[in-house]
Amino acid sequence: MSPQHFDVIVVGGSYAGLSAAMPLARARRSILMIDAGQRRNRTVERAHGFLGHDGKDPAAIAALGREQLLAYPNVQWRDALAEQVRRETQPDGERFVVTCNDGVSVAADRLVLATGLTDDLPDIPGLAQRWGKTVFNCPYCDGYELDLGEVGVIGTGALSVHESMMLTDWGTVSLFTNACVDLDADQAAQLQARGVTIVDGVVASIDEHATVVLDDGRRLALRGLFVAPRQRMTSALPEQLGCTLEEGPFGSFIRTDSCKATDVPGVYACGDAARATHSLASAVGDGFQAGVAVHQSLVFA
Ligand SMILES: Cc1cc2nc3c(=O)[nH]c(=O)nc-3n(C[C@H](O)[C@H](O)[C@H](O)COP(=O)(O)OP(=O)(O)OC[C@H]3O[C@@H](n4cnc5c(N)ncnc54)[C@H](O)[C@@H]3O)c2cc1C
């Protein structure tokens, strides 16, 4: 039996994917959303900086988007992981066959990848369970709520210097070099000029609210902690399709043009998976751009 066919399959049903689907839904195109339900901010209780939703539960923002999208009868949804994709070039254009982890295959003329990124957190006991609660990555998202208190940066590499200097607008900053940050004289002077305290030593664990425990037994209680983890593609689909990746400051992301088309014909990408910088607002803007471009490509193929 041939797989059920749609105009568009969107893989990833979070902010970027939902937003990509919206203009297509309103153009009465048939759409299948496939989503594994693992938003990058799933440990977070309040998302900040997204106009109209500042301070709301990010799960509720995504759920409202999903509810509004599924009100269009031409949109279908599968809770599943898209594991495999096959591209077939037909006489009348591209066709994609996606196979999910439940063994079901589906097909479409266009594919949107809104599959997000995964943060590779440093392997420090106590850090992962505080991720998005008292340990953060983005000052614009979570700095304000620290009320100009004592802030720690857990060093992961050169970017931690940049992050420490920025964070001085949000509190009194200590940079834990953690055997990962080698400061040259210029950097040390710049940090000093911004009032950053440099704390050498290896971070052994994170305890209590946001207490950094060093391997020599020192304990520093902070209001909040920041870390700049490496990020990687959540999904293997971009690689299976042969999408070109670009290297950003935190890791790689899918290269797209200004319309969010990848360099694989018929494949579009949006949100964190296809940008160097990340937020709900940019994921939603990116997704909408991708959705409009996909529609145009279907009309003017
Ligand atoms: C700790 C933390 C706090 C943050 N706080 C804020 C904040 O306050 N404000 C803000 O603007 N931004 C914040 N962000 C950033 C924000 O979470 C991201 O920019 C946003 O989630 C990106 O949306 P997205 O749709 O591109 O990807 P995601 O939200 O990560 O969604 C990707 C979706 O694709 C699905 N998926 C992936 N692969 C597959 C597959 N093969 N098959 C099916 N489904 C798949 C995933 O399961 C997931 O549902 C925060 C991030 C972190 C880590």
Side-chain angles (χ1 to χ4, degrees):
M1 199 174 74
S2 58
Q4 190 180 1
H5 186 273
F6 297 83
D7 290 328
V8 185
I9 291 175
V10 178
V11 184
S14 179
Y15 314 103
L18 290 165
S19 184
M22 190 54 103
L24 289 158
R26 294 183 54 74
R28 295 192 166 76
R29 292 291 177 164
S30 61
I31 303 155
L32 176 66
M33 305 290 298
I34 304 176
D35 185 48
Q38 295 292 305
R39 281 177 297 106
R40 190 172 156 212
N41 61 358
R42 59 191 176 277
T43 63
V44 173
E45 283 163 15
R46 302 202 176 281
H48 298 105
F50 184 28
L51 197 63
H53 297 278
D54 191 35
K56 282 196 191 162
D57 174 358
I61 300 171
L64 180 62
R66 174 175 167 159
E67 183 190 320
Q68 291 179 346
L69 181 69
L70 289 179
Y72 292 85
N74 43 319
V75 183
Q76 291 186 38
W77 187 285
R78 287 186 68 80
D79 287 315
L81 181 73
E83 281 188 331
Q84 295 286 331
V85 61
R86 192 173 75 245
R87 177 177 160 222
E88 296 171 351
T89 302
Q90 311 275 357
D92 57 346
E94 303 300 322
R95 183 168 178 266
F96 301 91
V97 180
V98 176
T99 304
C100 296
N101 58 340
D102 53 9
V104 173
S105 292
V106 282
D109 295 338
R110 297 288 182 276
L111 189 63
V112 177
L113 300 173
T115 43
L117 293 174
T118 296
D119 296 287
D120 280 330
L121 299 177
D123 187 15
I124 297 174
L127 192 147
Q129 48 276 48
R130 290 171 178 78
W131 181 237
K133 299 181 178 2
T134 59
V135 183
F136 310 103
N137 66 331
C138 163
Y140 298 102
C141 300
D142 296 294
Y144 186 87
E145 283 62 38
L146 301 179
D147 288 331
L148 296 174
E150 297 274 346
V151 177
V153 174
I154 308 289
T156 51
L159 272 174
S160 305
V161 177
H162 182 259
E163 193 173 30
S164 299
M165 290 179 59
M166 286 211 340
L167 274 162
T168 55
D169 270 2
W170 282 278
T172 305
V173 179
S174 297
L175 167 59
F176 295 87
T177 54
N178 194 29
C180 299
V181 185
D182 285 326
L183 296 172
D184 62 29
D186 273 358
Q187 288 171 320
Q190 284 169 0
L191 287 165
Q192 198 179 14
R194 296 285 291 175
V196 176
T197 302
I198 298 163
V199 184
D200 286 323
V202 173
V203 177
S205 62
I206 313 293
D207 201 2
E208 297 168 333
H209 176 79
T211 296
V212 175
V213 182
L214 293 160
D215 66 350
D216 59 10
R218 278 177 291 164
R219 297 174 65 90
L220 286 95
L222 297 138
R223 185 81 188 234
L225 295 170
F226 282 80
V227 64
R230 292 294 296 171
Q231 293 149 3
R232 61 183 158 80
M233 291 279 120
T234 298
S235 167
L237 299 192
E239 196 184 332
Q240 288 175 22
L241 287 159
C243 295
T244 304
L245 301 186
E246 265 186 69
E247 204 48 37
F250 308 104
S252 47
F253 60 94
I254 304 166
R255 179 191 291 171
T256 60
D257 65 13
S258 59
C259 293
K260 305 309 296 179
T262 71
D263 47 15
V264 177
V267 180
Y268 293 72
C270 53
D272 282 11
R275 302 179 51 82
T277 58
H278 313 132
S279 70
L280 270 64
S282 52
V284 166
D286 232 33
F288 193 82
Q289 173 64 73
V292 169
V294 168
H295 178 244
Q296 301 273 324
S297 80
L298 287 165
V299 173
F300 301 109

